[in-house]
Amino acid sequence: MAILSDNFDCRSFLEGETAAHGLAAAAFMALTPARLDELRRRLAAIHFPPELSEYLKKSEAMRRDPAMAFPWAGSILMAAVPFSILPDLSPPLPRAKSPDTAGVIAGYAARTDYHLYGKMLMTELLANLEQATDKMFKVEICIDTKPLLERALAEAAGLGRVGRNSCILCAGSGSSCFIISAMLDLDLPDVTVKDTAPLCHSCGQCAKQCPNQVIGATPADFKVNRCISSLTMEKRGLLTDEAMHLLGSNIFGCSVCTAACPEGSLPEDFPLDLEWLLLAPSGEVRRTISGTPVEYAGVTLLRRNALIVLGNKNSEVSCNLIKEFLKKTNSQLLIDTAQRLLAR
Ligand code: SF4
Ligand code: SF4
């Protein structure tokens, strides 16, 4: 493991990077044996809903013990990045011309993919760290895609607090930020920049404003099967009639409980043109959504959601669009979804 010289000032480094990149907070967390024990205790208490995907279930043990997934790591570099600094798309996604053909995309998802932007940002931070320390070290960047309970670790590192809406809350950004992390083969001390007092005021606005009464008093009461984000992004296949109603007018994600949090500043939700999404060639749709978080859903899931939103609108225009799409699709899932909606 690489050891730093006494001349390297961790706090000044983090303060400089936080200011230069507009970060909400940043921290180094040392993975000493005592810290790892503390983290294991903290992570053991995290509630894993029984409806979790197979991938998450398989990696549960590693998620509860960072030393199991990253035995070589001596520390973690973490930062909270406000969604508001994500660059706009150029050109933007096609905007709906009328409310009858609009499907809502959560604002953060109609911008440059935060995974890509976060990776680029972390790569810059690491290059600056390498230069400042004059050390070469092993790293692994983790942004949602590695077996790491990032929100709980960010809380342990002092970046903010996990709120009742399950998001990390940071000073000045509310819950409008995402976490980027890098495991480091480097011996670093604990340092946090912009550490704050507890942030969730338990005001209850997230629970009150959630359209589907998903948020309960404790994390174990979170009804993931009713959550629009989970239904639009993770739940594959044909949805039940009840789940279809729960989508409302959202085709990808939901930002209500994040936006409800005081201090936050989220990009505005985006009304996607569902006529374009359903009738344009699949290749064109794929190319257009490339580089946004929406790409992870894939064209078929987005079209399933678009049909459901049109069915929920239940206007002459929206039903005619479902019928027009039905004439041209070969996907059994989309045929079944469209027929179910038209038979309502
Ligand atoms: S909206 Fe209120 S209760 Fe919900 S996470 Fe934010 S501060 Fe906490
Ligand atoms: S993402 Fe939307 S549906 Fe899910 S808990 Fe938050 S407000 Fe409710």
Side-chain angles (χ1 to χ4, degrees), residues 14 19 43 58 63 73 79 87 93 156 175 196 220 245 269 296 310:
L14 286 180
L43 300 177
K58 272 187 201 152
R63 285 172 192 273
L93 297 173
S175 48
T196 59
H245 279 294
D269 287 350
Y296 288 95
L310 290 170

Side-chain angles (χ1 to χ4, degrees), residues 21-133:
H21 297 288
L23 306 175
F28 290 126
M29 182 163 62
L31 294 176
T32 58
R35 170 51 64 82
L36 282 166
D37 280 346
E38 182 212 320
L39 289 177
R40 286 185 196 106
R41 279 195 296 277
R42 186 186 275 260
L43 300 177
I46 301 283
H47 175 70
F48 267 53
E51 305 86 355
L52 275 185
S53 68
E54 280 310 306
Y55 164 68
L56 287 175
K57 275 185 198 152
K58 272 187 201 152
S59 59
E60 183 178 340
M62 281 201 278
R63 285 172 192 273
R64 293 193 190 278
D65 183 358
M68 197 187 280
F70 308 97
W72 48 266
S75 55
I76 313 181
L77 166 57
M78 303 192 95
V81 186
F83 280 115
S84 57
I85 71 170
L86 289 176
D88 284 329
L89 293 174
S90 178
L93 297 173
R95 182 179 282 271
K97 296 166 205 81
S98 120
D100 277 331
T101 55
V104 174
I105 295 181
Y108 77 87
R111 293 196 163 192
T112 300
D113 187 350
Y114 70 93
H115 300 91
L116 301 177
Y117 187 74
K119 190 170 179 188
M120 188 200 73
L121 202 52
M122 183 53 90
T123 305
E124 265 184 56
L125 293 181
L126 291 169
N128 293 345
L129 183 62
E130 215 169 87
Q131 198 178 30
T133 57

Side-chain angles (χ1 to χ4, degrees), residues 206 209-212 214-215 222 226-229 254-258:
C206 48
Q209 292 183 32
C210 169
N212 295 343
V214 171
I215 302 172
F222 192 92
R226 297 179 59 82
C227 176
I228 293 169
S229 286
C254 166
S255 48
V256 173
C257 59
T258 318

